[in-house]
Amino acid sequence: MSNPAGPIGIFDSGYGGLTILHGIRQLLPQYDYLYLGDNARTPYGTRSFEVVYEFTRQAVTRLFEMGCRLIILGCNTASAKALRTIQQNDLPKLDPHYRVLGVIRPTAEVIGSLTHTRHVGIFATEGTIKSESYTLEIHKLFPDIQVSGVACPFWVPLVEYNEADSPGADYFVKKRIDQLMRLDPDIDTVILGCTHYPLLLPKIHKYMPRGIRIVAQGEYVAESLRRYFENHPEIESCCTKGGQVNYLTTENPDKFKEQAQLFLHEPVMVQNITLG
C-alpha cells in the first residue's frame, strides 16, 4: 500500500454517529479515530439520493486526504443512499486499497439470532425507510423475516435540541411505537435505524410493549468491525493505535462541543472544516 497508516474515519451527517464511535471505542479503544460531522448540512434524512451521495463522497474524500485508510459511515441515511455507489464506483478510482463500510449490514447480520417470531420493526429517518435498505439487507440473509418500518421525522430534532428527556418527547415517541405495532403486532425485535435514537431509549422503553427487544447499533457495528479486522489483517495494519480521537465539524465548533457532550459525556476538542 502506498500510503502510511492513519486513524479510522467515522462520518455522520450530524451528531448521531457519535453513538457509533462510542460503541466502537468501548470495544476497540486502542485505535486512533477521526470523526467528521457534516453538521452545517444536516439533516440528510429528507434529502435525495443524489445529494446524499455527493455530500457523503465529499466527506469520504476529505477523510482519505487526512490519512484515513478505513472509513465507517456512522450514518444510516448515508449507508442507505451512498455506500454502494462509493464502494463500486469511487473506491476503484481513488485507491482500491481504501475501504468504506456502513452500519446497516452489521445490524442485518445479527437480527436473525435476535428475533424469535421472525417479525422485525425498524424506526429510522424518512430517507432510510424509503430506501428499503434494511429490508433488502435482512432479506438477503434471512428471507423468512417480515420487516416493517416507520419513519420518525421528529426524533432527531428532539435529540439535537436537547429535548429527549422532556415531557413533549413522550407524544412523538409513543405515536411512532403505536404506529409500528399496528402495522405488525407480532414484532418482537425493533431496530433503531438512526444513530440519534439511542438517546431516546428511556422514552422508547417506557412505551414499547413488554418483551420486545430494542436493537441499538453501536455494539453490533463495533463487533462487526472487530471481526472485519480479524478477516482483513492488511486493513487492520493500516490503522494507527494511539488511543486518540479527533473531531471535525462543518458547523460552529462551540456548538459541536456542546452537542457532543450529550452523546459522549466527555469534553471534546474540535476543528472546523469546509466540504464541497
Side-chain angles (χ1 to χ4, degrees), residues 75-115:
C75 172
N76 284 273
T77 303
S79 296
K81 293 185 174 183
L83 177 62
R84 186 174 299 276
T85 303
I86 288 172
Q87 288 176 331
Q88 294 180 350
N89 295 355
D90 294 300
L91 288 185
K93 301 171 189 173
L94 291 167
D95 189 320
H97 297 120
Y98 289 157
R99 295 291 183 273
V100 180
L101 307 176
V103 292
I104 293 176
R105 179 78 181 191
T107 313
E109 287 174 344
V110 300
I111 210 68
S113 63
L114 301 179
T115 175

Side-chain angles (χ1 to χ4, degrees), residues 72 125 171 189 224 255 260:
I72 311 292
T125 65
Y171 170 80
T189 305
S224 178
K255 181 180 179 183

Side-chain angles (χ1 to χ4, degrees), residues 29-32 240-244:
Q30 67 271 36
Y31 295 95
D32 294 321
T240 53
K241 303 173 185 67
Q244 300 296 311

